[in-house]
Amino acid sequence: MYDALNVLLVEADRDCSSSLARILRDDGHCVRIAETFEEIRSTGIQPSIALVILERELPDGLAEDVLPELKLLLPNADFVIVAAYADLDHAIVALKLGVVDYICKPFHADVVRASVARISKRRRVEDRLCEEHQFATEVLKTAEAVILLLDMDGTIQHVNSYFSRISGWQLEELQGRNWFSTCVPADDRRQVRDVFVEIARRNESTGAVNSVLTKTGATRQIRWSNTTLHGDDGRARSILAIGVDVTDLIAAQQSSVQSQRLAAIGQTVARIAHESRNALQRIQASVEILQLDIPVGSDMRDEVDSIYRASNELKETLEEVREYAAPIHLNTEPVFLPSVWRRVWEYLAITRSNRVASLKEDICDCDIVVEVDEIRMERVFRNLFENSLAACSDPAQICVTCRCDDPGWIHIIVQDNGPGLTQQQKEKLFDPFFTTKARGTGLGMSIVQRILEAHGGGIEIGDTDQSGACFVMRVAWPSRGRSCCYSVNEQGEGISV
């Protein structure tokens, strides 16, 4: 038993149409009858009609003349011609116009049923294929996997929308281009080509991971499962590659390993720094005694002063390492934030004494009082200001912008007029021990990040149309929406009220 169809029966002979309608209705089909083509036009077309059984010779025209218009009105319907006699030429014309069957009168009920059954069966198969195609299309759209189709030369035939989403490449931009020269980093191309050749030889492979270039030049790490598709003649036609983006997973694994490594290093370094600090204090105490006994300006005094400066630099380095390795315990209190960076700028007066450097402020009209550890926040601004002063040539300008338009947060933007950051510096700036300075541990920005994250906030590199480096800090603002317990005095400092 096949699916019931909505049938339009166009027959001028009422006895014939009545007999044919009865056969169709007995089989469960829904039948609508019309005697002329004009009657169809006047009563309107029903989009649900799946089959039109059409008398070849109608009072107002021939089926061959009516068919083109009917097919436009009912693009999803099948057409069967009923003719009074067999005519090979007319049958050929009808079939060329898209008719699926040609039945001659007088027709037998079994002949009609067989023809309609074939049409119903074919439509069911087509509907299933359509559903499966639609399902496959939706899977391709929604699955978070890369789907790549290459010919045997590596030319891109298809990529799915997920690949476009993670890479920025659109299908129209890639189609017809070589995969290896377009989307594989130059250093990896030979190795990836070898894998491609091996897939063609073995027909499939799994587990290969390689870098893929995005449109911006960044890379994503993709884990591939590949198979070779063959034509009807058994020859390899193309390679189907299904890829999973494992960039974040690899980064998380590396971060976990790095964290464990740094934790072990941190415990060791903290102990070494503690012991070394005691030894350095003894060295400095001894040097200070020597300085009292040796006249200023003598060669010996210059050497002693040099020892003192070197020990002091080493002490600062060990202190920075110890601070990074030690856990952060916050002692928070209400603080007027601008007073913190203004005080730090004054602390650096000696550092910038022989330079042309200025601090510019752009502050929103709010009482910028936050719950922070004031000493820790001084360290944040000190590191940022020192980095900017080291990077900028005179006249150096550092601008601190404060914005309070994000509910629950204050954003502090620190920007300088220096040369800015390279792509490598942007990617590695917060990595421990990364530095571009001749001296330094490379822990300053890592410490800044740790302090802000300990406060529940964060820091990131900002985008700017101007030259120079830009950093955006986010600090929680729990006092927003209620009266503050701080005010500002004439010197711009926070005071209790």
Side-chain angles (χ1 to χ4, degrees), residues 346-364:
E346 291 304 317
Y347 290 160
L348 296 174
I350 297 176
T351 304
R352 54 186 171 84
S353 59
N354 296 320
R355 299 192 54 184
V356 179
S358 61
L359 179 67
K360 179 183 176 182
E361 295 181 353
D362 181 6
I363 306 175
C364 56

Side-chain angles (χ1 to χ4, degrees), residues 14-36:
R14 293 188 178 182
D15 291 337
C16 184
S17 64
S18 177
S19 175
L20 191 54
R22 184 172 60 255
I23 295 170
L24 295 170
R25 285 171 178 151
D26 286 347
D27 289 343
H29 301 293
C30 181
V31 182
R32 173 190 168 192
I33 300 174
E35 296 183 0
T36 65

Side-chain angles (χ1 to χ4, degrees), residues 188-226:
D188 299 342
R189 284 172 193 164
R190 183 172 181 178
Q191 178 186 354
V192 176
R193 278 185 184 275
D194 291 344
V195 173
F196 183 79
V197 172
E198 185 68 13
I199 295 167
R201 187 179 67 82
R202 294 172 49 196
N203 292 332
E204 63 179 22
S205 73
T206 58
V209 179
N210 68 267
S211 299
V212 171
L213 286 172
T214 68
K215 192 173 181 179
T216 61
T219 58
R220 307 291 297 180
Q221 299 297 316
I222 308 295
R223 183 181 185 276
W224 298 101
S225 296
N226 311 301

Side-chain angles (χ1 to χ4, degrees), residues 337-338 341 360-370 381 399-415 466 470-477 480:
L337 206 52
W341 71 64
K360 179 183 176 182
E361 295 181 353
D362 181 6
I363 306 175
C364 56
D365 296 329
C366 300
D367 290 332
I368 311 170
V369 178
V370 292
F381 286 106
C399 181
V400 181
T401 304
C402 195
R403 292 288 176 263
C404 335
D405 48 6
D406 187 1
W409 298 96
I410 286 180
H411 290 87
I412 306 102
I413 304 166
V414 178
Q415 183 171 349
Q466 304 173 13
C470 178
F471 297 94
V472 181
M473 294 179 282
R474 187 177 73 256
V475 179
W477 193 15
R480 185 173 190 178

